[in-house]
Amino acid sequence: MKLKNSIFNYGWQIKFIVSLLTAFIGYKLFNNPQYSPKQEIELTFLETWADYELNAWGYDIYSPISHDRRNMPHSNEPMGWIIVDSIDTMMIMYNKTDNIHSKAQFLKSILKSQNWVENTLNYDIDAEINIFETTIRMLGGLLSAYYYSEEFDIGNSTVYLKKAIDLADRLAISFDQSPSGIPYSSINLHTGKSVKNHIDNGASSTAEFTTLQLEMKYLSYLTNNSTYWKYSEAVYKPLYENNNILEKYDGLVPIYTNPDTSLFFGENIRLGSRGDSFYEYLLKQYLLTHETLYYNLYRTSIRGIKKHLVSKSSPNGLVYIGEKEHGIHGPLSPKMDHLVCFLGGLLAMGATNGLNINDAQNQAWWDAERQDDWKLAEDLTYTCYQMYDQTPSGLAPEIVVFNNFTNLNTHNWWKSLRGDFYVKPLDKHNLQRPETVESLMFLYHLTKDEKYRKWGWEIFENFRKHTKVQYEGSNSCTYTSLKNCIDLPIEKSDNIESFWLAETLKYLYLLFDDDVDLTQIVFNTEAHPFPVMNKTILQKSGLGTGISIH
Ligand code: DMJ
């Protein structure tokens, strides 16, 4: 009582000291007394968006230096590539900002986008489009715009849901057009005819047809129509059983699959392009839908990754995930795509189920394996930060080859500042990819360790410094990809990727937001959040696992 009284008496002094300290730490950390990190990130989003609105509104592809703009190859009609991918980021920023000017700007842009989706966007497009990219970006974007529109009461949510159903109906018929139920890689949205990949013997990328399930299942949940759910889950049975993934591959998968036979095509195993989100969607299906089958499949895969793919660099012992180009019994290549950097965040979520690490470690289900996953999550996220910190620009290249002290022929390769990795001449570009800041966002909220914010802020500042396009004689500017982030002066390329707005800036923003509950939402692979499904509703709608895997 006495103590309480004395604290009460000195309340305002304590508050004053705490706010001084907070301000000082904030200043030291981010060295910018004027705006908070969140406000800076909002501003960067709004700069990019204003430039797009002015110079390329409605187009799918925008080159900000030449101001060239066009739609997807083979199509004259827009898919909403940039607009639809960005709406939920604007809704999140609109909801969380404390700057009234930004708030008004976000609302205006959201409503303009909604109007465009309702009145201009028409998915009856007579062109072949990639099923995976369209699902994760467009269907995912529409579904999470629907979710936030309802949640935050912004605009008319039915616009997004209607469009999502129309698009999903056009995409879902692809599951019916191959003997195995594994879709070909593309489909014509007007004729409904699906088309095989024009290269790689017509094989589908393994990560592509195993990264449709969150979107399809969430749509089934919203519409009470189980078709999307059933179609999308059906790919797993032939894939797992006909290839004997659990025993022969220890849960790992080669990056190509023949969609007619469901058999793997080639032996190349990697966690980078064409392999990555196969693993991601196993865990995320469990987190979104509570289906334990997928947690078990995820577990097997993580064991396989640890057994076959994990290694350490010289001289600093950075933990990395290598590649097995010739199957799991072949040699481990020390090459790692930046894309692999999503894995730190995924492992952290898989270990904790989205709880703070201290709480997770006190749960009955915590065990040595989860502890080990957690350690790998931390180590790998540090490695990914090093991929930025060990370059002259402070930005990571697309692909690195870790220094593993073997006889690598490195004669024209660039060696990183502290010697842990090399970069080949053709891999020096940077597309403003999200994976590292994505993992930093997860690790921060699961630990509250400020180092993750510090690393994220450095990366953000380097993006702003090196990817900024400042138009002469005008105040406006935007941000673009880089041809080369290794050799100074940094060379820009004339291309903006929609995931800069959909993912990179969203994850950076959420890294600095204090109110993120990772037990309640699941991000699709394009950073579009869906709410965790309610078990009672699932039961009532009869939605659940309809397959078994042996
Ligand atoms: C995005 O389209 C998605 O994150 C996908 O899973 C991988 N590639 C890009 C971002 O790098």
Side-chain angles (χ1 to χ4, degrees):
M1 188 65 182
K2 219 173 165 193
L3 182 70
K4 225 177 169 183
N5 268 342
S6 66
I7 288 178
F8 181 77
N9 289 338
Y10 290 99
W12 73 269
Q13 289 96 328
I14 291 171
K15 271 192 198 150
F16 182 68
I17 293 169
V18 169
S19 45
L20 267 184
L21 267 176
T22 315
F24 179 71
I25 291 167
Y27 177 80
K28 277 283 169 214
L29 263 186
F30 310 120
N31 195 22
N32 191 332
Q34 223 183 343
Y35 295 110
S36 70
K38 272 168 70 185
Q39 286 170 340
E40 295 278 358
I41 297 162
E42 282 163 19
L43 206 68
T44 301
F45 183 98
L46 286 171
E47 286 169 337
T48 314
W49 187 257
D51 179 59
Y52 170 71
E53 272 199 8
L54 186 70
N55 295 304
W57 176 250
Y59 285 92
D60 291 335
I61 300 172
Y62 173 43
S63 306
I65 297 174
S66 60
H67 282 169
D68 183 34
R69 69 251 170 113
R70 56 207 178 281
N71 288 322
M72 302 306 272
H74 319 299
S75 161
N76 291 324
E77 304 305 319
M79 303 268 303
W81 218 245
I82 296 180
I83 297 175
V84 172
D85 223 8
S86 306
I87 297 174
D88 64 355
T89 308
M90 292 194 277
M91 289 179 168
I92 292 171
M93 291 182 178
Y94 164 80
N95 183 251
K96 289 179 182 283
T97 185
D98 45 21
N99 178 319
I100 49 163
H101 300 293
S102 303
K103 199 172 184 82
Q105 196 48 55
F106 282 125
L107 185 60
K108 209 169 130 211
S109 300
I110 292 165
L111 297 179
K112 180 172 173 176
S113 303
Q114 181 193 301
N115 186 40
W116 187 87
V117 169
E118 187 172 17
N119 299 309
T120 306
L121 182 60
N122 180 354
Y123 282 123
D124 191 13
I125 298 175
D126 191 6
E128 268 174 36
I129 55 91
N130 179 283
I131 294 168
F132 155 77
E133 295 287 0
T134 307
T135 301
I136 64 165
R137 299 186 197 215
M138 300 301 94
L139 185 55
L142 289 167
L143 289 172
S144 97
Y146 168 77
Y147 164 54
Y148 282 127
S149 170
E150 289 264 293
E151 188 78 358
F152 302 150
D153 199 14
I154 313 171
N156 179 0
S157 62
T158 55
V159 168
Y160 304 112
L161 187 58
K162 269 194 197 156
K163 199 62 77 179
I165 294 170
D166 174 53
L167 176 59
D169 288 344
R170 294 171 191 277
L171 293 168
I173 50 178
S174 63
F175 290 105
D176 234 358
Q177 293 181 44
S178 83
S180 71
I182 291 175
Y184 299 157
S185 65
S186 303
I187 192 163
N188 181 308
L189 290 177
H190 172 68
T191 64
K193 188 175 173 350
S194 66
V195 187
K196 280 189 189 166
N197 185 359
H198 296 295
I199 48 173
D200 310 313
N201 258 4
S204 300
S205 297
T206 309
E208 292 198 355
F209 63 83
T210 53
T211 309
L212 312 169
Q213 287 69 20
L214 290 188
E215 297 76 3
M216 292 291 170
K217 288 185 173 182
Y218 183 43
L219 188 60
S220 279
Y221 180 80
L222 290 175
T223 56
N224 209 355
N225 173 356
S226 60
T227 314
Y228 312 109
W229 186 299
K230 286 183 180 151
Y231 267 141
S232 67
E233 75 174 357
V235 304
Y236 286 112
K237 195 169 176 70
L239 182 73
Y240 268 87
E241 293 185 350
N242 296 343
N243 292 292
N244 199 3
I245 292 178
L246 297 177
E247 276 158 34
K248 196 168 153 211
Y249 288 91
D250 288 340
L252 302 178
V253 293
I255 58 174
Y256 290 110
T257 303
N258 178 331
D260 290 330
T261 62
S262 75
L263 297 177
F264 289 133
F265 172 71
E267 284 292 298
N268 194 350
I269 292 171
R270 64 173 180 236
L271 267 281
S273 61
R274 303 180 191 281
D276 47 7
S277 45
F278 163 80
Y279 306 92
E280 181 182 355
Y281 270 34
L282 292 180
L283 178 72
K284 288 186 172 178
Q285 277 177 91
Y286 165 68
L287 295 174
L288 185 74
T289 68
H290 319 282
E291 294 170 278
T292 48
L293 169 68
Y294 296 99
Y295 182 76
N296 296 335
L297 297 176
Y298 166 79
R299 266 266 57 88
T300 309
S301 293
I302 299 302
R303 283 183 199 139
I305 289 171
K306 287 179 184 166
K307 182 168 166 195
H308 298 285
L309 304 182
V310 176
S311 191
K312 282 187 182 178
S313 72
S314 295
N316 295 305
L318 300 183
V319 173
Y320 66 86
I321 310 292
E323 300 185 355
K324 291 267 184 173
E325 284 160 32
H326 306 286
I328 56 173
H329 302 298
L332 184 71
S333 152
K335 169 174 169 274
M336 188 171 110
D337 294 355
H338 182 273
L339 287 166
V340 180
C341 289
F342 79 97
L343 189 63
L346 189 81
L347 284 161
M349 285 296 290
T352 61
N353 290 354
L355 293 175
N356 183 282
I357 181 64
N358 298 320
D359 297 335
Q361 283 167 334
N362 285 326
Q363 302 296 314
W365 42 257
W366 188 260
D367 58 19
E369 202 163 13
R370 285 178 186 261
Q371 184 63 47
D372 198 53
D373 289 3
W374 177 258
K375 174 88 176 61
L376 182 55
E378 288 183 315
D379 290 347
L380 189 62
T381 303
Y382 178 66
T383 299
C384 289
Y385 166 64
Q386 285 298 310
M387 284 166 61
Y388 288 71
D389 200 43
Q390 292 199 29
T391 73
S393 64
L395 292 175
E398 180 73 359
I399 303 172
V400 304
V401 179
F402 283 96
N403 181 355
N404 66 352
F405 261 149
T406 54
N407 291 334
L408 292 170
N409 182 6
T410 61
H411 75 281
N412 64 348
W413 298 2
W414 180 84
K415 191 172 188 178
S416 75
L417 301 181
R418 288 183 285 288
D420 284 293
F421 58 86
Y422 297 93
V423 184
K424 295 184 193 177
L426 293 179
D427 300 336
K428 293 180 175 176
H429 50 294
N430 175 295
L431 301 180
Q432 303 172 299
R433 284 197 190 274
E435 292 77 17
T436 296
V437 296
E438 169 181 347
S439 285
L440 294 178
M441 192 283 293
F442 283 108
L443 267 291
Y444 173 76
H445 289 292
L446 299 174
T447 59
K448 301 293 177 212
D449 185 337
E450 286 296 326
K451 80 176 175 217
Y452 296 114
R453 282 186 166 175
K454 182 180 162 292
W455 297 349
W457 186 252
E458 279 171 33
I459 292 172
F460 174 65
E461 292 244 274
N462 290 325
F463 274 132
R464 278 210 302 201
K465 181 167 166 200
H466 297 294
T467 74
K468 187 170 189 165
V469 178
Q470 183 70 57
Y471 299 117
E472 256 175 58
S474 132
N475 278 338
S476 59
C477 66
T478 190
Y479 300 84
T480 193
S481 302
L482 301 176
K483 237 182 235 161
N484 182 335
C485 68
I486 300 297
D487 305 307
L488 297 172
I490 296 311
E491 217 186 323
K492 293 195 173 79
S493 77
D494 193 9
N495 164 47
I496 176 165
E497 294 287 343
S498 65
F499 50 70
W500 165 247
L501 296 161
E503 297 196 70
T504 310
L505 291 176
K506 184 190 285 146
Y507 282 130
L508 278 163
Y509 191 73
L510 294 176
L511 169 64
F512 290 97
D513 186 48
D514 291 329
D515 186 21
V516 176
D517 183 349
L518 294 173
T519 63
Q520 296 304 312
I521 43 168
V522 176
F523 294 85
N524 89 337
T525 192
E526 186 77 3
H528 297 304
F530 305 151
V532 169
M533 293 180 188
N534 178 301
K535 286 185 182 166
T536 321
I537 298 180
L538 281 172
Q539 229 167 21
K540 274 194 189 148
S541 329
L543 294 172
T545 315
I547 54 163
S548 58
I549 287 172
H550 303 290

